[in-house]
Amino acid sequence: TGGHTTEILRLLGCLSESYSPRHYVLADSDKMSEAKIRSFEQKRAETFSESQFTLDRIPRSREVRQSWISSVVTTLYSILYSLPLTYKWKPDLILCNGPGTCVPVCISAFLLGLLRIKRTIIVYVESICRVETLSLSGKILYYFSDYFIVQWPDLKKKYPKSVYLGRIV
């Protein structure tokens, strides 16, 4: 939501038309992002006439200030809800940047790979505002992602699997 959506749309703005169709997954309680995505896609369609996208909603895996114990239950529910989506779309690539909504989708895709149904490349980009520590999503997806991108050199030192590219958004 909000800042995460703005960051991911900046990244998507740099991608060629070959990255189509795009499937956006939003938390069911996210009211802001859909309008931003539709506006972005409308502008993109002016350049790339064959541009295609879909929007899907899943239950939010964790609300702000939600207890850790109940977060486990809601995240498991979100993973179960995400599995049919990832199975339906069988994405080649998941590009995500931090909201809790990306965790169930990435884990679902990872599970499809383990079951040899579809191998999906997972690229996680930690938010520009994470200077010294990873977000909770980052701490989880550090172990599931194929490429883990950080935007600050101190994070690269702490997390050797990460790739430091400098400021990219």
Side-chain angles (χ1 to χ4, degrees):
T1 60
H4 288 297
T5 302
T6 300
E7 284 185 8
I8 202 73
L9 293 177
R10 283 185 183 157
L11 287 171
L12 291 175
C14 299
L15 297 180
S16 72
E17 63 185 308
S18 63
Y19 290 92
S20 184
R22 285 166 306 288
H23 304 287
Y24 296 92
V25 180
L26 311 171
D28 55 7
S29 59
D30 182 354
K31 305 300 179 210
M32 257 193 291
S33 296
E34 184 173 348
K36 287 182 177 184
I37 292 166
R38 290 193 183 282
S39 174
F40 169 82
E41 287 292 341
Q42 193 172 32
K43 289 177 187 165
R44 188 172 174 91
E46 293 170 7
T47 306
F48 305 117
S49 59
E50 300 295 318
S51 188
Q52 298 175 353
F53 75 99
T54 62
L55 285 165
D56 287 294
R57 293 187 177 272
I58 63 169
R60 187 177 289 273
S61 58
R62 183 171 186 270
E63 295 288 345
V64 176
R65 294 182 193 58
Q66 182 178 346
S67 75
W68 294 105
I69 298 295
S70 65
S71 298
V72 172
V73 174
T74 55
T75 300
L76 287 173
Y77 178 65
S78 293
I79 291 169
L80 290 174
Y81 204 91
S82 299
L83 274 168
L85 281 178
T86 54
Y87 181 79
K88 175 183 173 183
W89 296 119
K90 293 182 181 76
D92 295 318
L93 170 75
I94 293 178
L95 176 64
C96 55
N97 69 324
T101 306
C102 69
V103 173
V105 174
C106 290
I107 291 175
S108 296
F110 184 79
L111 290 173
L112 290 180
L114 286 178
L115 296 171
R116 298 182 189 259
I117 294 171
K118 171 65 176 171
R119 170 76 169 93
T120 301
I121 296 169
I122 298 171
V123 178
Y124 180 84
V125 180
E126 186 63 273
S127 176
I128 186 76
C129 67
R130 302 308 299 207
V131 177
E132 296 179 6
T133 61
L134 298 179
S135 63
L136 179 57
S137 298
K139 289 175 184 174
I140 295 167
L141 293 177
Y142 182 76
Y143 300 99
F144 293 96
S145 62
D146 296 286
Y147 299 96
F148 191 92
I149 299 169
V150 295
Q151 300 183 62
W152 295 96
D154 286 350
L155 287 177
K156 170 62 181 161
K157 291 175 191 169
K158 290 180 185 176
Y159 299 93
K161 175 190 165 188
S162 67
V163 177
Y164 169 64
L165 298 176
R167 185 177 175 188
I168 60 174
V169 293

